[in-house]
Amino acid sequence: MISVRGGQEHILAQLAAPVPAEVVPVTRALGRVPAVDVKAPFDVPPADNSAVDGYAVGSADIPSADTRELAVVGDLAAGAVFGTAIAAGQALRIMTGAPMPAGADTVYPQEIVERAGDRVRVGPLVKGANVRARGEDVEAGGIVIEAGSVLRPQEIGLITSLGIWQLEVHRRPRVALLSTGDEVAEPGTPRRPGQIYDANRFTLRGSIEQCGGEVLDLGIVPDVREALVSRLREAAGMADVVLTSGGVSVGVYDLVKDVLAELGTIDFWQVAMQPGRPLAFGRLGGTTFFGLPGNPVASLLAFMLFVRPALYKLAGRRRLFSPMWQARTVERLPKKTGRREFKRGILAYHDGAWEVRTTGPQGSGILSSMVAGNCLIVLEEDRGDVAAGELVLVEPFADPL
Ligand code: AMP
Ligand code: MG
């Protein structure tokens, strides 16, 4: 049986290149990953400009101790340019964002001056105060966004501040998704006795979309060999990744790994972890295959641990794993050595320290534990029972970007 780390490394090593790039308008680029570095075509801001509403002056006119009076020679709004230079003894009323006129290098905020008619009285001030320098945000030619980063609203704004309106990003990895099991019913349709409604296809759909993938929904396949074979063949022809849930355990009707072995190859099908031990990974035609466990907590956890980093890599991202923190557990955590265990936790800042508790019953079918929780508690392989008060690793549930 492979370890969690071993499984992750193996999977990432199988994925060669990210998916190809496409050009999209910036309005469609949120959450996408640039395929090339984005460089600044010019300085931002393009000119020295005022950081406040006030009066632009030349530093030679700043009194060293006392105050002095200057003649106000005009009014400059943002978006306009003052055609002439400011001479000695002169000040220009200037609005935030307006370019500094020639001859001026310092701006008095209007709140600290006395204005009377076309005269303004100013006091001592540091030379260069309240001026935003040309290029202080971004210098021309510099890389503003590296390839492989994820575009958040702030990256998009920085890109548009350069006048760029479209860019080259990796296309979304395509994931063919299906549920298996005779007992699984489609939400919104009647359910036969003995059936349960599909949870996994929807936790997984959301997870795929959250990490930038495109879902190709292939529905629910019964535990019938021929049906599974034809649906998996179909899936392999249309996607970068094929994702199933259920049918990878050791039950009589757990057909997924047998069918995969027949149609493609299986690299491993069990991971030393809890929940989520059954997990088939391999290849199906030209695509990467993940057979996730059926239990809803296990399938979502397996997605987070194995599929998400793989989709990130395919999408061209540089960072593949979420950061982990440490917190003190307020309760005792039973733990078996030799496998990595994941509990659903509630992480909170309390009395000056981070502490974590479990969400309650931790069965791998209890999806409400994922709803109640805001993190995973990660207990390493070599660890045994954890006493209350010990430090544990926690991985906050990732946000959409
Ligand atoms: P399996 O590995 O197929 O035996 O499934 C393990 C458990 O997960 C069983 O209790 C299944 O009913 C349940 N299960 C399988 N697929 C789903 C699904 N799509 N949504 C909710 N529960 C499921
Ligand atoms: Mg099943």
Side-chain angles (χ1 to χ4, degrees):
M1 206 181 314
I2 198 162
S3 69
V4 171
R5 247 282 124 246
Q8 288 170 330
E9 280 167 7
H10 176 91
I11 290 166
L12 293 175
Q14 302 305 306
L15 305 169
V19 294
E22 61 185 1
V23 175
V24 299
V26 288
T27 48
R28 312 295 310 163
L30 190 66
R32 305 293 290 271
V33 181
V36 291
D37 295 336
V38 180
K39 293 187 179 155
F42 51 78
D43 289 330
V44 180
D48 293 353
N49 68 94
S50 178
V52 295
D53 296 323
Y55 293 85
V57 306
S59 51
D61 279 338
I62 298 174
S64 56
D66 208 349
T67 64
R68 68 171 292 187
E69 220 174 55
L70 302 170
V72 180
V73 294
D75 239 300
L76 187 64
V81 174
F82 197 65
T84 51
I86 300 298
Q90 295 185 332
L92 176 70
R93 183 151 155 76
I94 192 166
M95 299 298 121
T96 306
M100 293 292 286
D105 57 12
T106 305
V107 180
Y108 280 88
Q110 61 189 28
E111 295 81 359
I112 66 165
V113 302
E114 272 172 51
R115 172 89 187 248
D118 59 0
R119 314 284 298 168
V120 64
R121 180 166 288 282
V122 301
L125 189 66
V126 179
K127 175 184 171 181
N130 302 309
V131 175
R132 302 192 282 219
R134 168 182 177 159
E136 74 173 19
D137 192 354
V138 181
E139 274 180 46
I143 294 174
V144 285
I145 313 284
E146 285 180 51
S149 32
V150 183
L151 299 177
R152 301 168 299 174
Q154 53 268 50
E155 279 82 17
I156 305 262
L158 190 54
I159 288 168
T160 58
S161 77
L162 301 170
I164 296 168
W165 68 278
Q166 59 176 22
L167 69 165
E168 213 179 304
V169 296
H170 291 285
R171 76 158 165 74
R172 297 179 185 282
R174 295 188 187 115
V175 185
L177 174 64
L178 55 94
S179 292
T180 70
D182 291 345
E183 80 282 25
V184 182
E186 185 70 39
T189 69
R191 170 176 70 125
R192 292 194 314 270
Q195 280 197 308
I196 54 164
Y197 281 120
D198 195 348
N200 298 348
R201 220 164 87 250
F202 300 91
T203 57
L204 296 172
R205 163 188 277 273
S207 302
I208 293 163
E209 288 177 346
Q210 268 191 345
C211 58
E214 184 186 323
V215 178
L216 308 170
D217 190 340
L218 295 183
I220 302 164
V221 191
D223 293 316
V224 175
R225 197 179 183 88
E226 297 70 41
L228 201 53
V229 167
S230 74
R231 201 72 67 92
L232 286 181
R233 280 220 171 95
E234 182 191 352
M238 64 200 288
D240 303 304
V241 173
V242 176
L243 202 57
T244 66
S245 71
V248 285
S249 200
V250 290
V252 181
Y253 299 100
D254 289 331
L255 303 168
V256 172
K257 63 178 191 297
D258 291 352
V259 170
L260 179 65
E262 183 186 315
L263 299 182
T265 52
I266 302 184
D267 293 0
F268 59 83
W269 62 278
Q270 284 195 326
V271 182
M273 62 186 268
Q274 206 280 325
R277 186 164 89 136
L279 172 100
F281 174 78
R283 262 164 314 280
L284 191 59
T287 69
T288 302
F289 178 89
F290 293 88
L292 303 184
N295 281 307
V297 173
S299 62
L300 187 49
L301 176 66
F303 182 95
M304 292 173 175
L305 294 175
F306 301 103
V307 186
R308 188 167 62 196
L311 291 184
Y312 282 173
K313 185 166 182 194
L314 284 176
R317 286 207 197 195
R318 265 177 299 129
R319 276 198 46 196
L320 305 182
F321 294 100
S322 310
M324 289 212 245
W325 306 0
Q326 266 192 331
R328 220 164 273 291
T329 172
V330 300
E331 65 190 273
R332 180 181 174 277
L333 303 170
K335 164 73 171 60
K336 280 196 189 142
T337 54
R339 64 188 194 186
R340 187 167 278 232
E341 289 187 18
F342 298 86
K343 322 255 181 208
R344 274 68 66 209
I346 302 170
L347 180 66
Y349 192 68
H350 186 244
D351 277 347
W354 286 99
E355 58 180 43
V356 68
R357 65 186 66 244
T358 66
T359 54
Q362 295 288 304
S364 61
I366 302 178
L367 190 53
S368 56
S369 69
M370 282 279 191
V371 174
N374 61 8
C375 70
L376 295 173
I377 303 172
V378 183
L379 303 177
E380 303 92 319
E381 287 76 357
D382 54 4
R383 203 154 185 179
D385 291 344
V386 180
E390 282 187 45
L391 284 174
V392 291
L393 288 175
V394 292
E395 184 180 323
F397 289 151
D399 61 18
L401 292 182

